[in-house]
Amino acid sequence: MTVDARDKVTRCVVVHWPDWSVVAAGALPGQAVAVLHANRVVAATPSARADGVVPGLRRREAQRLCPGVVLLSHDPERDARMFDPVLRALEQTTPLLEVGSPGHCTFATRGPSRYYGGDDALVDRVVDHVRSALGPEYLSIAGSPSVGLADGSFAAGLAASHAAGLANGTFIAGRASADRALLPPVPRSRSSGIVVPPGQSSAFLAAFPTSVLADQDGIDARILSLFPQFGVRTLGQIAALPRSDLAARFGPAGLVVHRLASGLEARPPLARRPPPDMSVSCPFETPVPTTGLVAFAAKQLADEMFERLRARGLACSQILVTAQTDHGEQHERLWRHEPAFQPVTVAERVRWQLDGWAASGTNAPTAGITLLRIAPTEVFPATGQQIGFWGGQSNADDRALRGIARLVGQLGAEAVHVPEWRGGRNPSQTIALVPAASTDLIDRDVGIPAASGSAASSFPGGPWPGVLPPPSPATLWKEPMPIQVQDEVGDAVRVTGRGFVSAPPVTVLKGGCAPFRVVAWGGPWPLEEHWWDPQRYRRCARFHLLLDDGSAHLAVIEQGAWRLEATYD
Amino acid sequence: MCSLGLVAMAVVVALAEPTVQRGDAALLARAVQLSRPVTLAGDHVLPTHPIFAPLFPWGGLQRGTVVAGSGLAARSLLLALAAGPVAAGAWVAVLGVPSLGLLTASELGLPLARLVSVDVDAAHGAAALGAAVDAFDAIILGPAFLRGSEARRIQARARERGTVLLAAGDPGMLEVDTSLTVTSVQWHGLHDGHGRLRARQVSISATGRRAAARVRRLALWLPDNDGRLSLVEDAVVPLRATS
C-alpha cells in the first residue's frame, strides 16, 4: 500500500476515564452507582458493572440486577464542571487541548514529547499533573486517568481504554468474555498508560476484536455484526482486506472501517485548511462580566458561522473557542463533537469553557470578556439532512427550539425543563423535570409506557403495584401542606400498623381556615417503600378526601402527621 | 386553492368577453380582488378536542387570544384544551406553574414531548413571557406577574404571533378574551370510606368580549369512568349553541 498525504496521522495522547459521569457525581468505585438519562443507564461504577449494570439498560432492569444500586440523573453541566480541573492541569503540558466529551480529551504529542524527553516521560508527566490537580481525596473517587499514546486518535483512544481495562482487571468494559482470548500484547505498559511506538499503531490494533469499532461514529452496528459471519474477527483481518472491496460492499462506512482498522483517522485530513472567513468573532463594546450573556452571544455567533459553512456545503466537527478579556488575558480551547456541531452545542461548549476559566483560581480572568471568537478547525462536506415527508422536524419545532435556547440564555439552564417519565407510586415521582439545554428535544421519547399514555387505560403501565390509578391530580404541592384530620369527637385520625383507620375522618383543618367537613373519603392505601434502605425507608398511608367546598385532595399520613400532597383541580 | 380557481375563472371570463380588448380596468381590478390571498377563519383557530367547540364562537382556541380559567377544575380544563393543539404538532410552554401535575396532562392526551416547563419569578416574568410568545403556540401561565404596560405589550405581540395564552388562576393585567369558569364539580366513585376518585362531572360557563360575549355553557365528564372526555348525556344545558 502506498503512503500518501491522506494517510498521515498525528501522534497524540488520549486521557480518558471510563464512565466519567459517575466519577463526576462523586461515586466511589466500590459503591454501586449508575447515572441515568431518559430512563436508560449511561454510566456505571465498576461495582455496579460487576452485577451486570451496563449502559443501555432500563432503570428497572438495573434495579433488578443490582437492588442496592444508587441511581443518579445525568447532568452534563456537572460532568463538564468536574472535568475542568483536569483540563487545567493538562494545559500545563500543552498549549492546545482538544476536548471531546467530559472525561475524554486529546492533544498532539509532537512538541510536548520532545520537550519532556520522550513519550514515556510525557505520559508520566501527564499522569502526575492530573493526579496533583485532582487532589488526594478526589483521586480516591476518580482513580488515575488512563492514558494512551499512539499514532492516530483511534489507536490512542483504544490504548487508553485498554490501559483502564488492565488497571481494574476487566478488558474493555462490557465486552464479551470471548474477546478476552484475543487480548493483544501490551507494547509498553506504565502504571496507567500504554505507549505504542511510532509506526506500530496498525500492529497494536491488529489483535483487537472488531467489536471495538462499535462506539465509533459513522459505523453501523449492522455492518459490524456481519464481519464475524465472514470469519473476520480482528481489526488486523479487516486491515488485510482490500480497501476497494470494503468500499464496494459497504459504501462509505466500509472505508471508515478499513481506515480505522489500519490505524488511520476515520476521515482523511482535508488537503487545505478551512478558509479564514469561516471564523466568527464578536467584540463587546463594554466588557461582559457574566458567562450567561457571553453564551447567548455565542449562540448568535454560532448561527452566523453555520450560515457561512452551509453556504459552502460544509459541516464542522472541531472548533477553536477563544475568549479575551479587557486586561488582555486570553483563553482558548479546542472542542470536538461527533458527528457534527450544532449551534446549540457550540454555545454549550462556550459556556463550559468560560465557567471553567472563571473557576480556575490564579488563572481566572480579572476583567470582563471583550472578545469571543469561534473558528471551525475541522470541516468536512455536509452530507445533508433528508427531511422526512411525514413527521420529522417541523416549522413549529424549529421555532420552539429557538425559543428554548433563548429562554435558557435569559434564565439559565436550571430554569427551563422538559418532562421525563421516571415511574413511581406517587404522582410527584412519576414525571421528573430534566434540563432542556442538555436534552435532545426533537422527536423525544418521554418514556411514558403506552398503557398510561392513552386515556383509555385504567392503570398506568409498568410494574408499580400500589400506584393510584388515573385520574391524576393536576396540582402537586411542592411543599406538602400540613393539615389536621379529626374524627367526630375531635381526636386526630390515625392509621394502625395493620392498615386500619382509627375512626372515620370528619373534619379537616387547614392552617388558619375555618374547618372543612369531609363529604366522602377513601383509603387508607398503605405504602411501604425502600424497606431495604434505612435512609430512604418510608411508610405512609394515602387517602382521597372530598371536602364540603367541592375540592378533592390526595392526603397522606406519615408518622402520625397529615399533609396534603396533591389536589385534583 | 379556491382563490386560484376563481382567478382562472376571472381570467377566462375576461378573455372570453369580446368587449374586453385592451385592459378593461374594472375587470382587471375584479381579477386582482379575486386573486388576493385569502386567510380562512379556520386558520386562526387551534384545533381543540371537538367536545369544546360549543364553548367558543370559532369552534376552538382562536389564535392570539387570552383564555382564563377559574374554578375548581380549571387546571384540568386548561390542560385538556391545550392537549388538542399539542397533539397536532404545536408546542406548549408552562410558565410559572411549577406545581402543575404533568401526568394529568399526559392522561388528558397532551404529548409531553412538546411541553416545556419554565421556572420564572416576578423579576424575569415579562422578559421570559416575551421570548416564549415568539416561540410557542400555546402558553399556560401562572398567576399574574405582569404590570399594566408589560401586559399590553406582550398581549399585542401574542396577537401578532398568534399565540394563545391560557391563564391558570388570576390573569392579572392581561385583557381576557374568553373567560371559562367551572361553576360546579361533582366527583363520582368516592363514597363514605370506600371507593376512589374516579370520574368528574363539571359544568363550564364561558363568557368573553365581542363575538364571545354571550354566555355559553357546557357540561362534561373531565374525565369519565374510562378516562376520556365526554358530554354529560342528561344535563340540562340552557342556551347552548349547536353547530
Side-chain angles (χ1 to χ4, degrees):
Chain A
M1 197 184 357
T2 57
V3 176
D4 59 17
R6 296 160 59 84
D7 290 347
K8 253 205 262 175
V9 287
T10 318
R11 194 162 170 75
C12 56
V13 180
V14 167
V15 181
H16 173 80
W17 270 270
D19 297 312
W20 177 259
S21 292
V22 285
V23 174
L28 286 166
Q31 292 173 322
V33 178
V35 171
L36 284 114
H37 179 60
N39 209 27
R40 300 267 184 185
V41 174
V42 291
T45 52
S47 164
R49 279 180 184 265
D51 283 346
V53 179
V54 292
L57 281 189
R58 282 178 178 277
R59 164 185 290 257
R60 296 290 284 187
E61 289 167 330
Q63 284 174 329
R64 183 175 60 78
L65 288 168
C66 180
V69 70
V70 178
L71 298 172
L72 303 169
S73 58
H74 185 49
D75 182 358
E77 297 281 334
R78 178 183 60 203
D79 296 355
R81 197 170 57 242
M82 301 307 280
F83 196 51
D84 212 75
V86 176
L87 296 179
R88 284 203 297 277
L90 290 175
E91 271 169 354
Q92 297 171 11
T93 324
T94 176
L96 209 52
L97 269 179
E98 180 190 305
V99 189
S101 53
H104 186 102
C105 69
T106 310
F107 61 91
T109 62
R110 193 164 152 239
S113 176
R114 283 169 60 172
Y115 181 78
Y116 289 114
D119 292 341
D120 290 323
L122 175 64
V123 170
D124 276 348
R125 189 62 64 130
V126 163
V127 172
D128 288 348
H129 276 325
V130 171
R131 290 180 73 101
S132 62
L134 287 175
E137 75 277 14
Y138 199 61
L139 200 60
S140 64
I141 293 173
S144 273
S146 46
V147 181
L149 197 158
D151 295 342
S153 57
F154 174 64
L158 209 51
S161 27
H162 189 43
L166 290 180
N168 58 27
T170 57
F171 179 54
I172 300 171
R175 302 274 176 243
S177 59
D179 291 348
R180 210 168 290 204
L182 299 167
L183 266 178
V186 177
R188 219 177 307 167
S189 180
R190 291 203 31 78
S191 54
S192 54
I194 291 181
V195 175
V196 181
Q200 299 288 306
S201 271
S202 50
F204 169 71
L205 291 174
F208 280 94
T210 54
S211 56
V212 296
L213 289 168
D215 303 331
Q216 294 298 309
D217 186 64
I219 297 180
D220 199 331
R222 284 173 299 179
I223 294 180
L224 288 181
S225 68
L226 285 177
F227 283 114
Q229 297 178 29
F230 294 151
V232 177
R233 295 182 190 285
T234 63
L235 296 187
Q237 287 170 324
I238 293 182
L241 295 170
R243 186 188 284 193
S244 53
D245 286 3
L246 276 172
R249 177 67 180 79
F250 299 114
L255 267 185
V256 173
V257 168
H258 190 270
R259 290 187 65 87
L260 288 176
S262 28
L264 305 174
E265 298 292 339
R267 271 190 295 269
L270 274 193
R272 62 189 168 95
R273 296 183 63 81
D277 64 339
M278 291 295 171
S279 72
V280 287
S281 59
C282 176
F284 300 104
E285 294 282 323
T286 47
V288 183
T290 55
T291 312
L293 288 173
V294 182
F296 188 53
K299 172 70 175 50
Q300 288 174 338
L301 271 185
D303 282 334
E304 191 188 328
M305 182 178 87
F306 278 89
E307 205 53 52
R308 291 188 195 174
L309 286 170
R310 207 173 297 132
R312 292 184 181 239
L314 295 173
C316 145
S317 60
Q318 191 192 45
I319 55 168
L320 175 68
V321 179
T322 313
Q324 272 175 14
T325 67
D326 206 16
H327 292 174
E329 296 142 317
Q330 183 168 323
H331 190 262
E332 57 182 9
R333 191 168 281 170
L334 275 175
W335 295 92
R336 173 177 288 281
H337 185 62
E338 297 286 353
F341 272 108
Q342 296 295 322
V344 182
T345 43
V346 169
E348 194 177 45
R349 299 303 187 280
V350 171
R351 199 168 59 237
W352 290 354
Q353 177 171 343
L354 294 179
D355 281 340
W357 192 19
S360 63
T362 50
N363 296 326
T366 54
I369 307 286
T370 50
L371 177 79
L372 179 70
R373 186 166 55 233
I374 307 172
T377 43
E378 189 180 292
V379 295
F380 56 94
T383 44
Q385 180 190 13
Q386 178 66 49
I387 294 175
F389 188 60
W390 302 114
Q393 191 165 352
S394 68
N395 186 25
D397 293 344
D398 282 341
R399 223 157 52 97
L401 290 193
R402 281 199 298 273
I404 291 165
R406 215 172 130 196
L407 285 169
V408 169
Q410 273 179 359
L411 306 169
E414 59 288 341
V416 185
H417 291 98
V418 289
E420 192 178 280
W421 166 269
R422 285 289 157 81
R425 293 180 179 83
N426 279 329
S428 54
Q429 291 171 343
T430 316
I431 302 272
L433 290 172
V434 296
S438 54
T439 312
D440 185 11
L441 295 171
I442 290 301
D443 286 336
R444 201 164 63 90
D445 178 17
V446 179
I448 296 184
S452 79
S454 69
S457 78
S458 55
F459 289 94
W464 293 106
V467 69
L468 292 174
S472 301
T475 302
L476 308 171
W477 299 109
K478 291 283 143 179
E479 318 243 310
M481 241 191 279
I483 54 168
Q484 286 170 10
V485 180
Q486 297 173 343
D487 61 10
E488 211 149 1
V489 293
D491 290 338
V493 175
R494 285 171 292 105
V495 176
T496 64
R498 287 183 175 271
F500 291 113
V501 64
S502 65
V506 173
T507 41
V508 169
L509 295 165
K510 259 195 281 189
C513 302
F516 293 95
R517 214 168 48 73
V518 176
V519 177
W521 59 281
W525 299 298
L527 185 63
E528 200 166 348
E529 281 187 307
H530 300 297
W531 44 264
W532 59 87
D533 182 349
Q535 254 113 56
R536 292 190 299 160
Y537 174 68
R538 180 163 181 254
R539 189 162 173 274
C540 62
R542 295 158 298 169
F543 285 83
H544 273 163
L545 296 179
L546 185 59
L547 304 183
D548 57 352
D549 64 343
S551 63
H553 304 276
L554 174 63
V556 172
I557 178 171
E558 189 172 356
Q559 294 181 335
W562 284 86
R563 61 172 193 269
L564 283 190
E565 191 146 294
T567 298
Y568 293 80
D569 66 349
Chain B
M1 215 48 181
C2 183
S3 61
L4 205 69
L6 287 173
V7 176
M9 218 159 69
V11 173
V12 167
V13 167
L15 293 178
E17 201 77 35
T19 51
V20 190
Q21 244 92 58
R22 308 284 163 253
D24 187 332
L27 219 81
L28 269 178
R30 176 143 180 74
V32 166
Q33 194 193 349
L34 286 172
S35 62
R36 191 168 294 154
V38 181
T39 325
L40 300 173
D43 295 343
H44 290 302
V45 175
L46 290 176
T48 52
H49 192 292
I51 211 167
F52 292 116
L55 284 178
F56 303 97
W58 317 278
L61 290 170
Q62 198 191 16
R63 282 182 169 277
T65 58
V66 176
V67 177
S70 59
L72 275 173
R75 284 190 169 191
S76 305
L77 175 62
L78 291 181
L79 285 174
L81 275 174
V86 180
W91 283 68
V92 63
V94 178
L95 243 74
V97 204
S99 61
L100 193 66
L102 296 177
L103 188 58
T104 318
S106 163
E107 285 165 8
L108 290 168
L110 194 153
L112 294 183
R114 285 191 292 277
L115 180 141
V116 181
S117 170
V118 183
D119 297 340
V120 69
D121 53 4
H124 301 97
L129 184 54
V133 158
D134 288 347
F136 299 96
D137 300 287
I139 298 172
I140 299 177
L141 273 179
F145 46 64
L146 294 180
R147 287 195 297 275
S149 62
E150 286 169 344
R152 265 197 300 283
R153 192 169 51 77
I154 282 171
Q155 200 164 3
R157 196 135 124 206
R159 209 169 285 139
E160 183 199 338
R161 300 276 174 172
T163 306
V164 177
L165 300 179
L166 300 162
D170 178 18
M173 300 303 286
L174 288 170
E175 224 171 88
V176 177
D177 294 278
T178 310
S179 135
L180 304 175
T181 311
V182 178
T183 49
S184 80
V185 173
Q186 207 180 346
W187 278 98
H188 292 251
L190 189 65
H191 305 280
D192 194 17
H194 60 99
R196 64 175 175 90
L197 297 171
R198 187 183 285 270
R200 171 171 53 182
Q201 202 176 324
V202 295
S203 305
I204 305 161
S205 82
T207 60
R209 306 190 297 153
R210 296 191 287 269
R214 189 163 60 82
V215 178
R216 292 147 183 274
R217 293 176 206 280
L218 181 65
L220 50 89
W221 290 97
L222 183 75
D224 65 8
N225 272 325
D226 300 327
R228 296 196 194 87
L229 299 177
S230 57
L231 281 176
V232 176
E233 296 297 338
D234 53 354
V236 183
V237 184
L239 297 173
R240 195 184 131 228
T242 45
S243 50

